[in-house]
Each structure stands twice: as C-alpha cells, then as structure tokens.
Amino acid sequence: MSRRAFWAVAAVIAVLASMVTVQAFGMDIFGFFGRWTDEQFTFTGSADKAGYQEKDRNYPFAEGETAEFSTLDEALEAFRINLPLVPHWFPERFGELEVTGSVMPSGMLIFASSGEGEQFLTVEYSEFGEDGPAVVVEKDKNETIVYETNGMRHYIVTDHGDCRAAWTVDNILCIICAPITVEEMERIIGSIYSDIDRKRMIELIYTGNGGDPALASGEEKLHYRSIEEALEEFQLDIAAPKWFPEQFGELEVTGTVMPGQKSIYAWVETDQKDFLGISYAKYGEGIPGTVIEKDGNSPVLYESGGVRHYLLTDHNWRKAAWIQDGIECIIGGTVTEEEMKRIIDSIYLDGEKEAPSDEYAGLLQAALDECGISGEFVPTWYPEGFEASEPEIIRTSRSDIVNTMFQDAGERFFSIRIHRYHSSEDVESFIFEKDKTPVEQYTSGTKTVYILSNNDTITTTWSDGLIFETICGNLTVEEFKKIIDSIDS
C-alpha cells in the first residue's frame, strides 16, 4: 500500500473505525467484544456474537426487504459504501431519481430510475461474489467503447437507441442505462469523479488563464531543474515547498511569459494516476486571476508562516490557493488534507526541524486535554527516526477525535487516533477492513488489544468505555506492542 493510500485509509478510519474493549483480569468490563470475518472487523455488545464469524452481512435490513431513499448518496451511506459511484450530472430532460435499496441473496442492490416512456434513465449498483458479476449487458453490433477516467475503465455500449455503461468497483457492478448519446454517457461518468475533466483541471491549475501554454503566444522554457531555479529566473520572490508525499517523483517544471502575465507550473503523475501540481502566477494590471473549480464543501482557512491559505475540495481532488506578495499560488492533486497542510508548512520551515520525539507525548496530551478526553492513551515510546504532524482535533455529531500522523524518511509510517463516541450504537455500526489473517488478542496492562492486518498494514485497537484508541501503519507487530506497552509505563 502506498503512503498516500495509507493516509487515505487513515482518514476513512477517522470516520468509520470503532474499537474494542478494555478487560481487567480477563473479564469484559465495558460491554464491547471484538467480532470479525475474513474481511471485516467490528464490535458487538453481545458476547455470543464475539470472535470469528463465517460471514457478516452487515446490511441495514434483512434479506428480502426493500427501502426507499431520497438520493443515491443516502442509499450508499445506509449500506456503508464509501466509494466514488454517484454521478453529479444527468441530462436536464431527466428529473429526480427514485431510489430503492434491497438485500438480495447475492447481496446489496441499489436501483434508481427517472423519467417515463422512452425517456427512462436507470442507475444500478449490485454486489457479486467470487465468481464475478452474473449480469449480461445487451448491445447491438456497434463496437464497445472503453472510457478511462480516474484510473477506472468504463465500458460503454449502444443497443438500438439506448446507451449503457458498465464497470466494476471492488465487488460492486455499476450499470447506467438511458436513451442518450455516447458523449452524454461519458459526461455522466466523468461527473462521478469531478465536474470538469482532467485536461481542463490541468489548464486551470497551471496556466491561470485556461489556455495551453504550449500554444500560447510569448516565450516558454521547459524542463527547469527545480521549482527554485524557475522562481529565481522569473524573479518571483517566494519560497517553494520542501516536502512532497513520497509517491510523487521529480516534478516537471515549466515557465511561460505571456502578455501581462508570467507563470511557473510544475506537474507529476504516477503510474496509479495520482497527480500533484503547483503553479505561481504574476499578473499585470487589469488581468483577472484564476477561477478555481471546487465542489459544494466550504473552504477551510489554514494559516502557516503568517500566510492565509484556503483549502478547497473538488470531489476526488484537493487544492490550496493563496496570494503572497502579489503572486498567486495554487497547489492541486490527489492528496489528503494532512498531506496538503504538510506541503504548505514545508514552504516556511527554512530548515527548522519539527518537535523532537520526546515532545510528542506532550503535544498529544494537550490535544486530549483540549477535548476533555481523560484516561491513559498517550505512548511514551516511539521508534527512532519518525517525525509527527501536529495533533488534529475533529469533532462530529457522533464523536470527538484526536489524530497524529508519524512517518520516517523512508516508507514507514503510522498514526495514533483517540476516538470518543457519544453512544454505544455508534460504536457497533463501524467496521475495519482486514485480510484473512487471524485476529490476535494481546494483553497490555489492563487492556485487551485486538491486532489485525490488511495486506501490508497493521491495525491495533482497544477501548476504555466509549473512548477508543487505534494505532495503525506498516510497523512490525513487535514495534506496535512496544508503543502500546509504553502507554501504562
């Protein structure tokens, strides 16, 4: 698992994870028991449902039952599916979708429809087993179109006036059908991942005027050795980031001069279609700045180095924008909020190091005190060579969370998360994904710690009443145990 993927999983755990119980002298004193299958780990207040289970359907209602939902997002949330599946655009001639969710013998089925007669659009998500999807998508003699976006392959076929798209995500088959053109279907699919396509996003982020620099009038120089070299040549008195997530290699740096504007932009894309870009632009009088696309989430104000940065989301992308000494700065890419903040922080470090490891316990405890979370949760031992992010506090209607990320100069990383739930019902509804490796129960002091693996990632978790702690990453099990043992030492 890549570092970016790990942080993405860690962010999901902030919302989805639940913990297990503290035990004293082998006796459960809080009422929560670990429960797991080959693929999932969760919690139950019932002792007879604890331990390994052959299967765990974990659906909101029983097999054979059907429920209505107001939106596709609401239906997917009810089935605890956190995947990019829902289109944000349909042709205007189709009205609101009517959505139902059912539990079939094969698993979940979500079906949505809009319109009537010949103008009838359907969207369907259904689970399939190890043998793969059993649905046959009818088509005419026209060739199948493979439409790739966001690293996914979508298959589009026509059938005598109808257009159908089919693709799979994890173990979910997705099908859209309607009397529309192939171009409209591609736009529907593209809207799942963003309101604008990647080419337009690149243009907006890097040129500041929506044009292609390679075709613009004026001068252009390609392949600077670094962002710093380009900034110096363009006489833009501003610092560049000194840290990027490790999945991104060397950035390609280009500078352009156009009437009333000079710009520097850098770009890198991985084989997994993750991408990162940075742009700096200086505009002349009367020339408007960049219009930055975003989704419906409100901007987040993040101050670092005495500068106000605005953090934006655009569906699967994250962006940061700010003005410094008349220079417009934009960072965009497939990074987490914590990674974006660390990129920004690295602009202003000037070689200063983060807090040494012996201060991490104090920083974490201060964040817990601010949340009013009491108890023994702070480790006093960490592996050497790791640096930590500033503890983050997240408050939701269901819980209060304190989270800290650690990483070294190589590929090793872990996070510590303390999660206080407001009710036991919230605890029992959340799930950890895991592989088929058996769950280990480890006793440390009065804690019973559950240790589970998911490919290259190890997760350790336990609870103290409604307060749960998770430490996860790609350390060894012995290192995790040493961190855990240090909490009570």
Side-chain angles (χ1 to χ4, degrees):
M1 179 181 284
S2 69
R3 177 173 300 173
R4 186 202 64 80
F6 169 75
W7 296 133
V9 170
V12 171
I13 289 173
V15 181
L16 298 182
S18 76
M19 314 301 178
V20 292
T21 61
V22 174
Q23 294 185 352
F25 305 104
M27 183 175 181
D28 180 5
I29 60 174
F30 294 108
F32 293 111
F33 300 85
R35 167 188 171 92
W36 59 92
T37 68
D38 285 341
E39 298 178 346
Q40 295 180 337
F41 180 92
T42 184
F43 301 92
T44 175
S46 174
D48 60 353
K49 294 182 180 180
Y52 179 77
Q53 306 291 314
E54 286 296 329
K55 67 175 183 177
D56 187 355
R57 305 290 283 185
N58 199 37
Y59 293 133
F61 34 84
E63 184 176 316
E65 292 184 349
T66 298
E68 295 183 357
F69 299 94
S70 57
T71 64
L72 280 170
D73 289 294
E74 182 182 295
L76 290 168
E77 183 178 358
F79 282 94
R80 303 185 182 94
I81 296 173
N82 184 30
L83 294 168
L85 298 176
V86 178
H88 302 285
W89 179 88
F90 293 106
E92 289 186 2
R93 59 187 178 274
F94 299 101
E96 291 187 5
L97 293 171
E98 296 181 1
V99 184
T100 60
S102 307
V103 178
M104 311 297 287
S106 59
M108 173 237 26
L109 171 64
I110 294 175
F111 184 82
S113 62
S114 174
E116 57 185 18
E118 294 182 355
Q119 294 298 314
F120 193 72
L121 178 146
T122 62
V123 181
E124 180 179 330
Y125 309 115
S126 58
E127 285 182 307
F128 55 84
E130 294 181 357
D131 296 331
V135 175
V136 176
V137 180
E138 297 290 339
K139 66 180 290 292
D140 56 26
K141 294 181 179 180
N142 292 326
E143 291 187 1
T144 299
I145 298 169
V146 180
Y147 178 62
E148 294 196 33
T149 182
N150 202 55
M152 299 288 298
R153 296 168 66 91
H154 309 77
Y155 297 89
I156 301 175
V157 299
T158 57
D159 186 24
H160 306 292
D162 281 341
C163 187
R164 298 187 175 109
W167 70 100
T168 61
V169 183
D170 290 347
N171 68 329
I172 298 175
L173 172 66
C174 312
I175 299 177
I176 301 174
C177 180
I180 57 177
T181 66
V182 170
E183 290 74 19
E184 286 176 318
M185 183 63 79
E186 289 179 347
R187 185 174 176 186
I188 291 172
I189 295 170
S191 74
I192 294 172
Y193 310 104
S194 174
D195 291 334
I196 55 175
D197 63 24
R198 175 171 291 192
K199 181 177 184 297
R200 177 62 178 156
M201 184 279 301
I202 295 170
E203 292 171 352
L204 286 170
I205 287 182
Y206 299 115
T207 67
N209 68 348
D212 186 344
L215 303 177
S217 62
E219 298 179 359
E220 177 181 44
K221 180 178 177 180
L222 301 174
H223 308 308
Y224 284 92
R225 289 176 297 179
S226 66
I227 297 175
E228 290 83 357
E229 181 185 48
L231 289 170
E232 182 177 357
E233 182 168 320
F234 276 64
Q235 297 180 357
L236 296 178
D237 188 16
I238 192 169
K242 303 173 183 64
W243 179 88
F244 300 107
E246 279 198 5
Q247 69 267 27
F248 300 110
E250 185 177 349
L251 279 72
E252 296 183 9
V253 185
T254 300
T256 62
V257 176
M258 292 181 283
Q261 173 191 344
K262 54 184 179 181
S263 304
I264 294 169
Y265 46 97
W267 167 264
V268 63
E269 184 171 4
T270 71
D271 293 338
Q272 291 73 39
K273 303 301 182 183
D274 292 326
F275 59 92
L276 179 71
I278 303 174
S279 75
Y280 302 90
K282 185 89 169 182
Y283 297 101
E285 244 182 84
I287 297 180
T290 305
V291 176
I292 303 172
E293 298 286 340
K294 63 178 289 294
D295 56 24
N297 294 324
S298 298
V300 174
L301 178 62
Y302 180 65
E303 294 197 22
S304 182
V307 179
R308 296 161 66 90
H309 308 79
Y310 293 89
L311 307 185
L312 315 171
T313 58
D314 190 7
H315 304 293
N316 291 334
W317 306 326
R318 194 173 303 278
K319 301 172 184 177
W322 69 100
I323 300 285
Q324 187 174 358
D325 297 328
I327 302 169
E328 178 189 84
C329 311
I330 302 174
I331 303 174
T334 50
V335 296
T336 66
E337 183 173 328
E338 284 304 315
E339 287 174 323
M340 183 65 80
K341 289 179 178 178
R342 184 168 181 189
I343 293 170
I344 293 169
D345 290 342
S346 73
I347 296 172
Y348 310 103
L349 286 176
D350 289 330
E352 294 180 9
K353 295 183 178 180
E354 297 183 35
S357 58
D358 59 357
E359 294 183 12
Y360 294 154
L363 293 172
L364 185 56
Q365 186 61 58
L368 292 172
D369 292 342
E370 183 177 339
C371 281
I373 297 176
S374 59
E376 298 295 331
F377 300 104
V378 179
T380 56
W381 180 88
Y382 305 98
E384 291 185 3
F386 282 81
E387 293 184 346
S389 66
E390 186 79 15
E392 181 183 18
I393 297 173
I394 305 168
R395 290 187 170 95
T396 71
S397 60
R398 291 184 171 182
S399 62
D400 301 309
I401 305 163
V402 174
N403 181 68
T404 301
M405 304 290 191
F406 294 77
Q407 62 183 33
D408 67 3
E411 293 294 329
R412 303 212 312 151
F413 44 82
F414 67 99
S415 70
I416 299 176
R417 185 175 300 274
I418 296 92
H419 204 142
R420 178 176 61 190
Y421 287 95
H422 298 161
S423 72
S424 59
E425 289 78 10
D426 292 330
V427 174
E428 296 194 42
S429 65
F430 297 110
I431 301 167
F432 284 113
E433 297 295 330
K434 61 176 290 293
D435 58 28
K436 294 182 180 181
T437 305
V439 174
E440 178 183 353
Q441 298 184 58
Y442 172 67
T443 300
S444 176
T446 60
K447 301 186 295 292
T448 294
V449 180
Y450 291 81
I451 302 175
L452 47 145
S453 66
N454 189 24
N455 299 322
D456 295 331
T457 303
I458 300 294
T459 298
T460 64
T461 180
W462 66 96
S463 78
D464 182 353
L466 292 178
I467 304 175
F468 300 85
E469 183 161 9
T470 297
I471 305 176
C472 60
N474 64 354
L475 305 182
T476 66
V477 171
E478 290 306 314
E479 285 175 315
F480 279 116
K481 289 179 178 179
K482 193 169 181 180
I483 294 173
I484 294 164
D485 291 341
S486 75
I487 293 174
D488 294 320
S489 62

